[in-house]
Amino acid sequence: MRIVTSVAAMLRLARRWRRHGTRVGLVPTMGYLHEGHLSLVRAARKRVGGTGRVVVSIYVNPTQFGPREDLARYPRDLKRDVRLCRAEGVDVVFAPDDAEMYPGKAAGNYSTYVVEEKLSQGMEGASRPGHFRGVTTVVAKLFNIVQPDVAVFGAKDFQQAAVIKRMVRDLNFPLKTLVAPIVRELDGVAMSSRNKYLSGDLRQQATVLQRSIQAVRRAVTTAKQPAPAVQLRSLVGKVIQTAPDARLDYVEFFEPETLSPVAKVSPGTHMALAVFVGGTRLIDNGRL
Ligand code: PAF
């Protein structure tokens, strides 16, 4: 396995693979890898086969963090990530630094961004202004640098996957986007690098997201007719109250293809929520 830190070296490799007709799978990550990320690596390997190449990018992208968010303390452990990637049969870990990814930015000379204007407006986009501009920009750059045939993202970031798919379509990136299912801990908490912030009791309270989804799913599947979203919002509020340190940021009910909010919720509607547990903001989602 190779560890590549420069854009120029990654581009050289990508061009060589392209010349030889080698299939390439990319798993973009911000590192601090867990079983959820490794499931994306396996999905990429399955897609490109034994003769293909799997690249895992590890880069904590500053442009997708707001000024009051956790960029500085975001968990990092490149050594451990490299070990996990090696064990998983990854071919290349691409781990650039900020100067490689955003040349000139420190001196105020970086000025090009990619913006998706529709699917990125609600939920995470509304709660974290500028977040998706950072995500689409860095992912577009990674696509240009690695030139993958397939890129794999996790369904925990449901809106992110939809925004990236739209960008791929709208900007004609010649690749397929795969979205792999959420991987959960035994108690139902969706795997996330940010779970590391949660100590004993807060970690237990984090189950409140999955419990909210389950409560809504039960209500929707047993209802005789579509349930009003306002009613389900207050149901979620009640579940969240069972965790003393949890605070609801948003909950949304929407069409999974268009992300359009719905007023009446029926089986097949999608639900996403963000909750602060202590000082840690967690997200989750599920089909109802
Ligand atoms: O999902 C993530 O980890 C990040 O948003 C991504 C896609 C790697 C872009 O920085």
Side-chain angles (χ1 to χ4, degrees), residues 99-160:
E100 281 292 317
M101 284 305 277
Y102 293 101
K105 191 162 189 300
N109 287 327
Y110 183 92
S111 51
T112 306
Y113 293 87
V114 178
V115 179
E116 192 285 331
E117 295 188 332
K118 203 164 186 180
L119 304 180
S120 61
Q121 295 305 298
M123 299 189 279
E124 288 301 288
S127 192
R128 303 180 65 190
H131 170 67
F132 281 122
R133 171 185 186 255
V135 170
T136 42
T137 299
V138 82
V139 171
K141 286 164 74 67
L142 290 168
F143 287 169
N144 285 334
I145 296 163
V146 179
Q147 299 172 32
D149 298 283
V150 57
V152 191
F153 297 87
K156 184 176 74 74
D157 296 283
F158 190 87
Q159 187 182 13
Q160 168 175 282

Side-chain angles (χ1 to χ4, degrees), residues 23-279:
R23 280 179 66 73
V24 179
L26 170 65
V27 180
T29 81
M30 298 206 299
Y32 212 74
L33 304 180
H34 50 67
E35 194 52 38
H37 294 115
L38 301 182
S39 76
L40 309 183
V41 170
R42 287 172 208 135
R45 173 60 70 197
K46 200 165 164 195
R47 266 310 178 99
V48 301
T51 56
R53 296 286 183 270
V54 173
V55 179
V56 172
S57 65
I58 295 179
Y59 178 60
V60 182
N61 172 37
T63 65
Q64 69 188 76
F65 287 78
R68 274 181 294 281
E69 294 183 8
D70 57 343
L71 172 63
R73 69 178 192 122
Y74 194 84
R76 294 162 167 89
D77 191 343
L78 186 60
K79 254 194 180 153
R80 179 176 159 277
D81 289 345
V82 162
R83 211 169 48 240
L84 288 170
C85 285
R86 189 170 280 123
E88 213 48 64
V90 168
D91 297 288
V92 172
V93 166
F94 176 50
D97 64 13
D98 291 342
E100 281 292 317
M101 284 305 277
Y102 293 101
K105 191 162 189 300
N109 287 327
Y110 183 92
S111 51
T112 306
Y113 293 87
V114 178
V115 179
E116 192 285 331
E117 295 188 332
K118 203 164 186 180
L119 304 180
S120 61
Q121 295 305 298
M123 299 189 279
E124 288 301 288
S127 192
R128 303 180 65 190
H131 170 67
F132 281 122
R133 171 185 186 255
V135 170
T136 42
T137 299
V138 82
V139 171
K141 286 164 74 67
L142 290 168
F143 287 169
N144 285 334
I145 296 163
V146 179
Q147 299 172 32
D149 298 283
V150 57
V152 191
F153 297 87
K156 184 176 74 74
D157 296 283
F158 190 87
Q159 187 182 13
Q160 168 175 282
V163 168
I164 290 169
K165 275 189 165 178
R166 177 61 60 90
M167 176 187 79
V168 164
R169 189 201 73 177
D170 288 356
L171 298 185
N172 309 101
F173 281 102
L175 58 93
K176 261 233 138 24
T177 314
L178 272 189
V179 183
I182 298 177
V183 179
R184 296 184 181 279
E185 305 281 1
L186 283 177
D187 63 0
V189 172
M191 287 200 182
S192 162
S193 306
R194 288 190 169 97
N195 291 349
K196 166 163 169 64
Y197 299 145
L198 302 167
S199 60
D201 179 47
L202 290 180
R203 172 62 189 74
Q204 204 284 324
Q205 292 187 47
T207 56
V208 78
L209 285 89
Q210 166 73 341
R211 286 192 283 117
S212 300
I213 297 171
Q214 282 167 340
V216 172
R217 189 175 285 131
R218 265 195 306 276
V220 168
T221 50
T222 54
K224 296 204 167 53
Q225 51 208 9
V230 276
Q231 230 168 58
L232 297 173
R233 274 206 178 86
S234 85
L235 172 61
V236 169
K238 283 192 188 116
V239 179
I240 301 291
Q241 274 174 14
T242 65
D245 299 299
R247 179 170 60 82
L248 183 64
D249 184 9
Y250 69 77
V251 56
E252 195 62 86
F253 305 98
F254 56 91
E255 295 294 347
E257 299 305 324
T258 59
L259 307 191
S260 308
V262 297
K264 294 275 172 107
V265 180
S266 42
T269 301
H270 212 91
M271 161 180 173
L273 77 170
V275 176
F276 284 96
V277 178

